[in-house]
Amino acid sequence: MPLPYVLLSAAVSLDGYLDDTGPERLLLSGPADFDRVDGVRASVDAILVGAGTIRADNPRLLVNSAERRAARRAAGRPEYPLKVTVTGSGDLDPAANFWHTGGGKLVYTTDQGAVRAARLLGDTADVVPLGPALDWRALLEDLHDVRGVRRLMVEGGGTVHTQLLRQGLADELQLVLAPLFVGDPAAPRLFGPGAYQGGRLRLLETRRIEDVVLMRYAPTAPGSGTDATAADRHWLRAACELAALCPPSRTAFSVGAVVVAADGTELARGYSREGGDPVVHAEEAALAKTDPADPRLSGATVYSSLEPCARRASRPAPCAELILRAGVRRVVTAWREPDTFVEAADGTGVLTAAGARVVVLPELEGPAKAPNAHLLPG
């Protein structure tokens, strides 16, 4: 199911602590960075914080700039983004600033927490029960499918950030590093203990803002099962971009493919008809650039903008078979192969019959089909 683009935003001290809370709160950022955050808020559809952050910080979470609010209205958007919180218990203070400023408010909670939250808040907010326990994927699916949220900004706290990153649901981390040492062992940290993705995050940007530094990172490590992660969406978008590089053809699809190790290292990429070969397929071109003895292939994921082929006339082995021969057992694709050239093509069936996992991300079907529009029915 499609999910919103999830952006985690936080400021930390040099020794890794979040902003202090309470009446003597230590502000780690300065005016210029606060204005940057205001701009990010104005760009998103919703802002989410945990219930603990509401209790500790009593935030308003507004777009402060009148010009930015006017621009949102001119674009047909609400003046303020939707404000969202998450609570397992439903223990919420109805007098908090969160409920009495800005636009719409939404509470995600458990079945049991929903009873308490609804009693405390009345009609101040919409309360959505997620079942006996909090389910982040179900929460994000509801935001996307029911609330129309395409970009979600998450401003804390540490528990929320930890859970989203550990579950592979965060698309981007915007981290501001302040030139301060907190030194208080009781101060909250940005992330808690647990099993995070392997490998290194990808650095998107660094920027000096007065005396702080903004660093933007994106996860790179593929998922391991049938649920897509934020990194899976990134790599499949890269495969779709490769498809646009294919020399046009009236007799073959334009496809891009990327092979990525379990730790997020890109092993190879390729696209249809690459290098002047009129019949080479994207997965074939990518796998040809890998070392067959590379032990990382057994844990790798192949991202292909189109389902790998199950049958072909131009070469002895179809791409689904080449993937299996390479030892790869996970494939992520944007759309299933239509009957345009091969009737009842079923690369997914070939792969799954051999024990491989196939994940389809229909939200990227549009960019995957774009280079092939001339081959598809109007």
Side-chain angles (χ1 to χ4, degrees):
M1 295 288 290
L3 302 177
Y5 185 94
V6 178
L7 185 161
L8 308 186
S9 176
V12 295
S13 65
L14 288 171
D15 49 345
Y17 291 101
L18 285 162
D19 290 2
D20 278 346
T21 58
E24 302 299 325
R25 183 180 182 188
L26 173 65
L27 298 178
L28 297 179
S29 296
D33 188 57
F34 291 140
D35 184 66
R36 178 194 65 83
V37 170
D38 195 64
V40 177
R41 287 179 180 175
S43 73
V44 301
D45 302 304
I47 303 169
L48 183 148
V49 294
T53 298
I54 295 177
R55 287 190 288 267
D57 293 359
N58 197 21
R60 298 183 307 154
L61 298 179
L62 302 177
V63 175
N64 294 311
S65 164
E67 292 80 6
R68 290 177 179 134
R69 296 197 303 272
R72 286 179 62 91
R73 291 194 301 270
R77 305 172 73 189
E79 185 174 11
Y80 295 99
L82 176 69
K83 295 200 294 190
V84 184
T85 192
V86 183
T87 171
S89 66
D91 181 15
L92 298 164
D93 180 3
N97 290 332
F98 184 91
W99 313 111
H100 303 288
T101 56
K105 290 88 181 176
L106 186 62
V107 177
Y108 287 103
T109 183
T110 60
D111 291 341
Q112 185 174 0
V115 176
R116 185 175 190 181
R119 184 177 69 250
L120 289 169
L121 299 176
D123 60 0
T124 304
D126 291 334
V127 177
V128 180
L130 294 173
L134 293 174
D135 183 332
W136 278 104
R137 190 172 290 272
L139 182 157
L140 294 174
E141 287 176 355
D142 184 82
L143 280 176
H144 183 280
D145 297 343
V146 179
R147 321 291 165 175
V149 172
R150 297 299 179 263
R151 288 183 64 85
L152 172 68
M153 182 181 186
V154 181
E155 294 199 41
T159 299
V160 171
H161 284 151
T162 297
Q163 291 175 349
L164 288 168
L165 267 180
R166 287 188 59 191
Q167 294 181 39
L169 297 173
D171 294 271
E172 181 180 337
L173 170 62
Q174 293 191 359
L175 185 64
V176 167
L177 184 63
L180 294 169
F181 291 97
V182 174
D184 180 357
R189 285 189 176 272
L190 174 57
F191 298 116
Y196 292 90
Q197 70 153 63
R200 303 168 74 91
L201 276 69
R202 180 168 42 94
L203 180 63
L204 303 175
E205 178 191 7
T206 59
R207 190 195 325 165
R208 178 178 176 177
I209 305 172
E210 294 179 335
D211 66 344
V212 304
V213 177
L214 167 68
M215 297 169 288
R216 295 175 54 229
Y217 291 96
T220 60
S224 58
T226 54
D227 285 333
T229 66
D232 287 329
R233 292 191 290 274
H234 160 72
W235 289 115
L236 188 55
R237 280 192 291 268
C240 293
E241 291 168 1
L242 285 170
L245 302 178
C246 300
S249 172
R250 288 279 176 186
T251 58
F253 289 115
S254 293
V255 183
V258 187
V259 185
V260 183
D263 66 355
T265 301
E266 180 180 324
L267 301 180
R269 58 175 58 197
Y271 55 89
S272 304
R273 300 176 294 283
E274 184 178 357
D277 185 337
V279 296
V280 73
H281 286 194
E283 304 92 328
E284 178 186 18
L287 289 169
K289 298 170 188 172
T290 65
D291 179 354
D294 190 334
R296 295 175 295 179
L297 286 171
S298 62
T301 296
V302 167
Y303 297 90
S304 179
S305 60
L306 174 66
E307 175 187 38
C309 63
R311 300 191 305 276
R312 63 189 293 189
S314 58
R315 294 278 165 82
C319 291
E321 184 177 332
L322 293 175
I323 290 169
L324 295 171
R325 286 181 188 177
V328 176
R329 290 299 181 267
R330 187 169 186 267
V331 175
V332 179
T333 185
W335 61 308
R336 300 290 299 272
E337 183 178 354
D339 292 342
T340 308
F341 302 115
V342 178
E343 189 173 349
D346 187 18
T348 296
V350 172
L351 291 164
T352 55
R357 296 185 178 94
V358 179
V359 182
V360 181
L361 302 185
E363 63 264 38
L364 290 175
E365 186 174 307
K369 284 183 172 180
N372 300 287
H374 61 291
L375 300 172
L376 303 174

